[in-house]
């Protein structure tokens, strides 16, 4: 999308990436306007088809990544890190009210799996919230430092960008590669799915 916007409007690549990110996530800050009807036709097509494909691909990628991480952590914690403890406990007798029982390897493995799964579930529940808070914080810091906004305007910008309302925009320059262009492109491109994941 960014390449097409660059070619059709004569914008820098950073500005084109910023604009494509807005279109893909339906933010629409309105800070810059397209210069040609061909670009507007591209936006209609890209918004209807490309945004859905990009969104589905990112969700699929994140889902597969999280599933693979959980499986890897489960295996590592259940077997490699606790292998010594399992070997020591296997076959040992344990006192109980009913008498003496033998601890089986499968019982120990099941206890470790359950604990590991609970820990992973807690981490996956908290991680998206922490990422969202960090991302909003980054938007606030950007607004206060680079746009010279006060705290509430910076917070307003950071939150409305991630919720796709797009009510406050930064000063984007379509004809030069500025830090603002790059920041806005990546803030929206990665921030919207981070916000949506919580």
């Amino acid at each position: 999308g960014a390449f097409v916007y660059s070619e059709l409007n004569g914008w820098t690549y950073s500005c084109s990436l910023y604009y494509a990110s807005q279109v893909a996530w339906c933010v629409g800050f309105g800070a810059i306007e397209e210069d040609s009807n061909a670009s507007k036709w591209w936006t209609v097509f890209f918004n209807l088809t490309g945004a859905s494909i990009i969104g589905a691909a990112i969700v699929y990628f994140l889902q597969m990544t999280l599933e693979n991480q959980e499986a890897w952590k489960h295996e590592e914690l259940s077997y490699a890190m606790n292998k010594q403890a399992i070997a020591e406990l296997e076959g040992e007798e344990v006192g109980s009210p009913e008498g003496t029982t033998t601890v089986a390897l499968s019982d120990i493995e099941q206890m470790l799996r359950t604990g590991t799964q609970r820990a992973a579930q807690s981490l996956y529940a908290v991680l998206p919230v922490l990422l969202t808070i960090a991302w909003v914080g980054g938007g606030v810091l950007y607004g206060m430092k680079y746009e010279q906004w006060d705290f509430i305007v910076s917070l307003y910008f950071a939150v409305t960008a991630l919720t796709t309302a797009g009510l406050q925009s930064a000063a984007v320059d379509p004809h030069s590669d500025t830090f603002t262009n790059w920041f806005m492109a990546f803030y929206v491109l990665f921030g919207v799915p981070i916000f949506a994941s919580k």
Side-chain angles (χ1 to χ4, degrees):
F3 176 76
V4 174
Y5 285 120
S6 180
E7 292 297 312
L8 293 176
N9 295 297
W11 297 339
T12 62
Y13 191 74
S14 63
C15 182
S16 298
L17 181 61
Y18 157 75
Y19 199 80
S21 299
Q22 285 189 77
V23 172
W25 297 120
C26 305
V27 176
F29 286 118
I32 55 176
E33 293 183 20
E34 296 171 70
D35 297 330
S36 70
N37 284 339
S39 181
K40 291 174 183 172
W41 277 106
W42 168 249
T43 297
V44 169
F45 172 77
F46 184 59
N47 197 239
L48 291 174
T49 59
S52 300
I53 293 168
I54 290 169
I58 289 174
V59 167
Y60 178 77
F61 173 76
L62 290 173
Q63 186 178 27
M64 294 305 296
T65 301
L66 291 175
E67 287 174 5
N68 287 338
Q69 280 183 334
E70 186 174 340
W72 176 80
K73 286 180 182 179
H74 173 66
E75 290 294 322
E76 285 292 314
L77 290 173
S78 294
Y79 297 105
M81 293 175 62
N82 296 304
K83 192 173 182 180
Q84 182 67 30
I86 292 170
E88 290 173 6
L89 289 174
E90 185 179 14
E92 292 209 9
E93 294 183 350
V94 176
S96 68
E98 294 83 33
T100 303
T101 16
T102 302
V103 177
L105 180 60
S106 61
D107 294 336
I108 297 168
E109 288 177 334
Q110 183 58 39
M111 288 186 291
L112 291 173
R113 280 191 189 111
T114 303
T116 301
Q117 288 170 345
R118 285 186 189 140
Q121 288 169 346
S122 297
L123 176 65
Y124 291 128
V126 172
L127 188 60
V129 174
L130 294 176
L131 280 172
T132 299
I133 291 168
W135 212 259
V136 168
V140 169
L141 291 174
Y142 165 82
M144 293 177 75
K145 179 172 177 150
Y146 292 97
E147 298 296 327
Q148 303 300 310
W149 297 326
D150 62 15
F151 176 78
I152 189 61
V153 173
S154 298
L155 181 63
Y156 179 78
F157 153 75
V159 171
T160 62
L162 300 183
T163 61
T164 70
L167 301 175
Q168 177 74 34
S169 181
V172 177
D173 182 357
H175 301 292
S176 65
D177 274 327
T178 64
F179 174 76
T180 296
N181 291 7
W182 287 108
F183 177 83
M184 291 299 295
F186 286 99
Y187 187 75
V188 171
L189 185 63
F190 295 106
V192 171
I194 287 171
F195 179 79
S197 71
K198 65 167 192 45

